[in-house]
Amino acid sequence: MPPEEFRRYGHQVVDWIADYLAHPERYPVLPDVQPGALLDALPRAAPEQGEPMEAILDDFRRLIVPSITHWNHPGFLAYFATTATPPGILAEMLAAALNVNGMLWKSSPAATELEQVTLGWLRDWLGLPVDNFGIIFDTASISTMHAIAAAREAADPEVRLRGGSRNLVLYTSEQAHSSVEKGAVAIGIGQRNVRKIAADEVFRMRPDMLAEAVERDLASGLRPFCVAPTVGTTSTTSVDPLPAIGEIARRHRLWMHVDAAYAGMAAVAPEFRSLMDGAGQADSLVVNPHKWMGTPVDLSVLYTRRPDILRRAFSLVPEYLRTAQDDRVVNFMDYGVPLGRRFRSLKLWFVMRSLGRQGLAARVREHIAIAQQFADWVRGDPRFELCAPVPLSLVCFRKRGSDEENQALLDCLNRGGEVFLSHTVLNGRFVLRLAIGNHATGLRQVERAWELIRASA
Ligand SMILES: *Cc1c(COP(=O)(O)O)cnc(C)c1O
């Protein structure tokens, strides 16, 4: 593509993005499509000859966009909403253009050093101790897998050589995200060696049950090595009692990995910092700027106070990747499985600079306030009930009645195209989740959602 043509289509694409971001609500939040529709609409074979950009962009608008779930839509209230803010989008364009591979310091000094700078800033915003080393991965799932691998390295360094992690046992709560168990599966800990500790009546891991489980495993000759509590669980945003869990971890020399993928970001607002009490003691912690922080997917950060162990778990340097600077620089490829690394810190830098800590704190604060308001509405309507405390910006609620009625209510709401909510199961009952995390979502949209919920009920 000649430069002039790139310029022309580049402007067209930026114009499309600007219009889209101005009015994502012009689209239904969930597309009205059946599974396989796009598969059928696209050719079975790739083109033999190159096609004109006009045709490609045309098909993007005509075929792709109608099959999109609009995460940018202010009525997107499902899962944990994520927001691609314009500064983050601009940085993604630049990162794509530079196309550096940040595997080594030498393969692009800026990619390495900007990652160090931004993750130092973020560590301070979250109130984490300065001895935390940060590294960017694509997702929290991968960050957590690396944390579990580091925990294994600390407990049994022979595994790296020998393979087979013999009798190591990992603890997490029954409310933990599936990524903890998946990480254990991926590195060969085995599902049988993952203990899902019971939660209390407000969905927090019970330290007494954790202590009991560890004692029981020790008594039967197993080797407890890691505990993974959560700050902001996926179903209800409950916060596990980190100080008490940390105490047990220290007593039994367990690696403590904190999953704060969504809720960690709330700590940018000083009044919510206490959610992270005890996190400073953790061996590692994951937080996702791509969730609540306006950074386009994907960007997850793993912090660890024991980077030497993480490095020991993964460093393997073939001759062709040795450089003269190796003893003076960080080569991020040494701290994990991926060799190639996108220049992800660029978008984090753009977002952090353009919003500032106060700008982000204001979003978090507003989202939490709106969720409290919504929870009050639910409490005030006898047809509905709240199903969990609301410490952050997620409300779990249901219509008093059967699971079938609640499923039907959710389907009816989501079919309308104005809002998208998701669900979970708590105490065996089907529960609706309304999660506020999109930067475009304000009180007005949530008021409208409540109107639709009552009408649908
Ligand atoms: C979203 C989330 C995850 C998974 O995040 P990915 O980046 O999609 O892997 C893990 N844990 C918690 C608590 C989450 O909220």
Side-chain angles (χ1 to χ4, degrees):
M1 179 183 279
E4 276 319 308
E5 211 176 303
F6 179 83
R7 197 183 304 280
R8 191 165 78 246
Y9 290 116
H11 287 154
Q12 274 185 31
V13 167
V14 169
D15 283 341
W16 187 90
I17 295 172
D19 291 341
Y20 174 64
L21 293 177
H23 292 291
E25 75 285 354
R26 282 190 302 219
Y27 300 89
V29 53
L30 277 174
D32 180 21
V33 292
Q34 294 304 312
L38 185 60
L39 289 176
D40 292 341
L42 293 174
R44 294 277 157 200
E48 277 300 313
Q49 306 289 334
E51 298 182 66
M53 193 47 59
E54 290 292 357
I56 300 169
L57 286 173
D58 210 47
D59 284 350
F60 167 77
R61 285 183 288 258
R62 198 170 55 86
L63 297 171
I64 306 299
V65 176
S67 284
I68 291 287
T69 294
H70 292 281
W71 287 68
N72 290 288
H73 196 294
F76 189 108
L77 304 165
Y79 316 123
F80 286 125
T82 64
T83 305
T85 52
I89 295 169
L90 293 174
E92 280 283 44
M93 292 168 65
L94 293 172
L98 294 169
N99 198 32
V100 301
N101 189 330
M103 54 204 188
L104 299 163
W105 177 86
K106 187 176 186 175
S107 70
S108 185
T112 296
E113 294 186 11
L114 195 62
E115 187 158 333
Q116 293 175 290
V117 168
T118 50
L119 300 193
W121 289 0
L122 183 62
R123 176 200 65 213
D124 294 346
W125 279 8
L126 301 181
L128 294 172
V130 289
D131 61 352
N132 269 289
F133 165 93
I135 176 168
I136 295 176
F137 288 111
D138 52 358
T139 57
S141 305
I142 294 298
S143 293
T144 289
M145 186 200 78
H146 282 86
I148 299 171
R152 183 191 62 186
E153 177 68 24
D156 187 353
E158 284 290 299
V159 176
R160 178 179 156 132
L161 210 59
R162 187 190 71 219
S165 54
R166 292 183 195 158
N167 295 339
L168 293 178
V169 183
L170 177 143
Y171 304 81
T172 192
S173 102
E174 58 184 4
Q175 290 291 321
H177 190 269
S178 53
S179 56
V180 175
E181 188 172 355
K182 262 199 198 182
V185 169
I187 66 159
I189 298 300
Q191 271 176 299
R192 228 180 260 157
N193 298 316
V194 175
R195 303 275 178 272
K196 294 182 187 161
I197 304 301
D200 64 14
E201 69 290 351
V202 284
F203 312 106
R204 300 172 303 194
M205 192 197 297
R206 282 180 53 179
D208 57 330
M209 299 294 266
L210 170 65
E212 239 173 65
V214 172
E215 300 286 357
R216 202 168 37 240
D217 286 329
L218 284 170
S220 33
L222 300 176
R223 299 161 67 201
F225 80 109
C226 180
V227 59
T230 309
V231 172
T233 57
T234 311
S235 273
T236 71
T237 68
S238 60
V239 177
D240 289 336
L242 300 187
I245 293 167
E247 171 91 33
I248 296 165
R250 270 193 301 285
R251 192 156 70 232
H252 294 289
R253 301 169 59 85
L254 310 180
W255 180 290
M256 181 158 92
H257 171 65
V258 176
D259 180 356
Y262 148 77
M265 215 49 78
V268 300
E271 68 270 38
F272 299 114
R273 268 231 179 135
S274 60
L275 289 166
M276 297 274 270
D277 280 352
Q281 305 300 314
D283 297 285
S284 58
L285 176 142
V286 59
V287 62
N288 273 4
H290 80 213
K291 272 197 172 140
W292 211 350
M293 200 178 158
T295 311
V297 171
D298 47 11
L299 203 167
S300 172
V301 179
L302 177 67
Y303 284 108
T304 177
R305 300 169 71 202
R306 304 170 77 183
D308 48 321
I309 309 263
L310 181 63
R311 190 165 192 277
R312 219 170 65 196
F314 288 107
S315 180
L316 198 63
V317 186
E319 185 50 42
Y320 49 85
L321 291 173
R322 292 195 191 281
T323 70
Q325 297 82 19
D326 285 350
D327 49 357
R328 279 175 291 147
V329 297
V330 170
N331 290 323
F332 278 111
M333 70 161 195
D334 286 339
Y335 295 85
V337 174
L339 172 66
R341 313 182 75 249
R342 301 179 58 219
F343 191 1
R344 293 193 181 91
S345 59
L346 192 67
K347 59 188 169 184
L348 187 57
W349 190 55
F350 271 48
V351 169
M352 291 181 85
R353 290 190 60 183
S354 77
L355 278 98
R357 190 192 58 76
Q358 291 193 13
L360 280 163
R363 295 297 154 88
V364 162
R365 208 170 272 139
E366 187 191 346
H367 288 166
I368 293 175
I370 297 171
Q372 306 306 318
Q373 172 69 72
F374 181 82
D376 279 344
W377 293 332
V378 174
R379 267 187 219 104
D381 188 325
R383 285 185 301 166
F384 294 90
E385 60 182 321
L386 278 184
C387 304
V390 184
L392 291 155
S393 69
L394 166 72
V395 184
C396 292
F397 68 104
R398 71 198 302 279
K399 179 175 182 285
R400 293 182 199 274
S402 67
D403 283 357
E404 290 69 29
E405 279 177 77
N406 277 282
Q407 175 75 66
L409 168 58
L410 183 64
D411 292 344
C412 172
L413 274 172
N414 288 347
R415 253 197 319 274
E418 276 190 75
V419 292
F420 174 28
L421 278 68
S422 57
H423 78 277
T424 188
V425 171
L426 295 175
N427 298 321
R429 294 190 313 174
F430 186 96
V431 166
L432 278 69
R433 289 170 80 265
L434 182 138
I436 304 162
N438 186 318
H439 287 197
T441 303
L443 183 60
R444 193 165 58 81
Q445 284 86 14
V446 177
E447 249 174 319
R448 175 68 182 150
W450 179 231
E451 207 175 288
L452 291 167
I453 290 163
R454 282 181 305 165
S456 307

